[in-house]
Amino acid sequence: MSEVILELKNVCMYFGGLKAVDDVSFDIKKGEIMSLIGPNGAGKTTIFNVITGVYVPTSGEIWFKKVLLNKYKPHQITKMGIARTFQNIRLFKQLTVLENIILAMHCRRKIGVIQSVLRLPGYHSELKKVTKRAEELLDYMGLLGKKDEKAENLPYGEQRKLEITRALATGADLLLLDEPAAGMNPQETTNLMELIEKIRNELQKTIFLIEHDMKLVMGISDRIVVLDYGKKIAEGLPHEIRNNKKVIEAYLGKEVANATA
Ligand SMILES: Nc1ncnc2c1ncn2[C@@H]1O[C@H](COP(=O)(O)OP(=O)(O)OP(=O)(O)O)[C@@H](O)[C@H]1O
């Protein structure tokens, strides 16, 4: 059994009286592809937000590589090795593809702000190194040919790919992908599935994703966690989740579940 990289213990996140996340516990093993699914408003994005430090959980604990994350700020959590993409693509649209990657690498750069502004010795050699690394990463992701294009001019599927490349560029071990297939056509979704598996298999990354596309979820997940109204209602292998009565009820309504039982 491989080691646990992320663990949520009895995590709650309340907004006033609304229990967006209610006593949720699960763990993710190193190298796993884990999916988080559930109806709209189930609390999926809120889980990502408490893991990445956007919100401090109301109660419970979040452990990453044996460090308690609860009180860390988002930029500190990125440095520790968790990177994320967003439901609505967040790129620097006016900057080039290459510049987007170089900026994402800044948290690992040895060069300080003063050195950058004053162009002190070390700046040029460091920039050269970072540019080379960014180009290698773009090549790996099949985007090198687009490096000088403005991010906003890329087709939608490639913008999503660029977001994932940016997450990788931070050097993270754990990638949180929020609806990576949203807005993609079936061919783009199939390509994305292959890419996510390649990143896990070849780069040994751990992937935690939120997704509504069941073909993607069932096709690539090692395990799946299901939320409904902030509570975890199921956790297991894809075939277990597909046949889980509570999950079918949450998605399709009790009547349909009873009719198909
Ligand atoms: N900052 C906030 N303040 C108040 N309520 C919030 C806040 N963020 C989320 N919520 C509420 O918490 C609940 C869970 O929202 P969340 O966005 O986590 O759901 P989700 O499962 O990601 O939904 P979707 O699939 O539609 O993206 C919703 O009722 C939402 O309105």
Side-chain angles (χ1 to χ4, degrees):
M1 179 73 80
S2 56
E3 67 184 276
V4 169
I5 188 166
L6 183 83
E7 183 173 14
L8 275 71
K9 285 187 184 170
N10 308 104
V11 170
C12 294
M13 183 71 226
Y14 300 164
F15 298 108
L18 178 81
K19 296 180 174 181
V21 175
D22 191 6
D23 198 23
V24 170
S25 302
F26 61 89
D27 63 30
I28 303 180
K29 313 275 188 305
K30 200 166 178 293
E32 252 191 326
I33 297 179
M34 173 77 115
S35 289
L36 182 60
I37 66 170
N40 289 333
K44 305 180 294 295
T45 301
T46 305
I47 294 250
F48 271 23
N49 283 334
V50 293
I51 294 171
T52 53
V54 175
Y55 301 133
V56 178
T58 310
S59 60
E61 295 177 354
I62 299 165
W63 292 85
F64 176 64
K65 295 188 201 163
K66 304 193 168 63
V67 176
L68 184 63
L69 285 189
N70 289 49
K71 293 281 159 64
Y72 284 98
K73 301 259 178 295
H75 72 276
Q76 294 171 314
I77 292 174
T78 309
K79 265 193 185 161
M80 289 174 184
I82 301 180
R84 91 186 267 191
T85 67
F86 293 87
Q87 220 167 308
N88 308 312
I89 297 174
R90 293 191 196 176
L91 293 167
F92 296 104
K93 293 185 187 306
Q94 295 293 321
L95 298 184
T96 67
V97 166
L98 182 65
E99 286 163 345
N100 266 276
I101 300 307
I102 289 174
L103 276 176
M105 290 170 102
H106 86 278
C107 80
R108 310 190 79 208
R109 284 168 69 181
K110 291 193 193 77
I111 208 92
V113 174
I114 307 252
Q115 258 181 317
S116 304
V117 173
L118 300 178
R119 306 281 200 267
L120 292 179
Y123 168 78
H124 288 290
S125 68
E126 179 62 20
L127 185 62
K128 226 173 159 181
K129 260 191 242 162
V130 169
T131 304
K132 185 166 176 278
R133 175 82 192 100
E135 287 179 350
E136 282 166 4
L137 199 52
L138 285 169
D139 193 19
Y140 184 79
M141 298 290 281
L143 287 172
L144 188 58
K146 303 281 174 95
K147 73 178 174 125
D148 296 321
E149 289 205 23
K150 272 191 188 175
E152 67 180 0
N153 293 336
L154 294 187
Y156 188 75
E158 286 184 344
Q159 289 197 19
R160 287 234 167 256
K161 222 183 193 184
L162 180 56
E163 262 219 314
I164 298 174
T165 315
R166 278 179 51 101
L168 279 172
T170 66
D173 304 307
L174 173 62
L175 305 183
L176 307 187
L177 310 180
D178 196 345
E179 295 195 34
M184 286 191 171
N185 64 37
Q187 186 54 50
E188 285 174 327
T189 303
T190 304
N191 294 345
L192 177 71
M193 286 168 71
E194 286 167 8
L195 185 66
I196 292 172
E197 283 186 318
K198 177 171 133 148
I199 289 169
R200 186 271 296 273
N201 296 342
E202 295 179 2
L203 305 181
Q204 279 90 45
K205 301 295 179 187
T206 307
I207 314 277
F208 186 31
L209 61 93
I210 295 174
E211 188 49 68
H212 287 288
D213 185 318
M214 283 304 125
K215 179 172 164 264
L216 184 144
V217 168
M218 294 297 166
I220 64 170
S221 306
D222 295 312
R223 287 188 301 140
I224 299 169
V225 167
V226 190
L227 290 185
D228 191 26
Y229 292 109
K231 282 193 178 296
K232 184 177 89 171
I233 59 164
E235 176 179 353
L237 304 172
H239 75 271
E240 293 168 343
I241 297 301
R242 193 187 282 125
N243 299 313
N244 183 299
K245 200 160 177 250
K246 274 192 187 166
V247 177
I248 297 169
E249 280 176 10
Y251 272 105
L252 304 173
K254 284 190 172 95
E255 295 77 15
V256 180
N258 288 336
T260 54

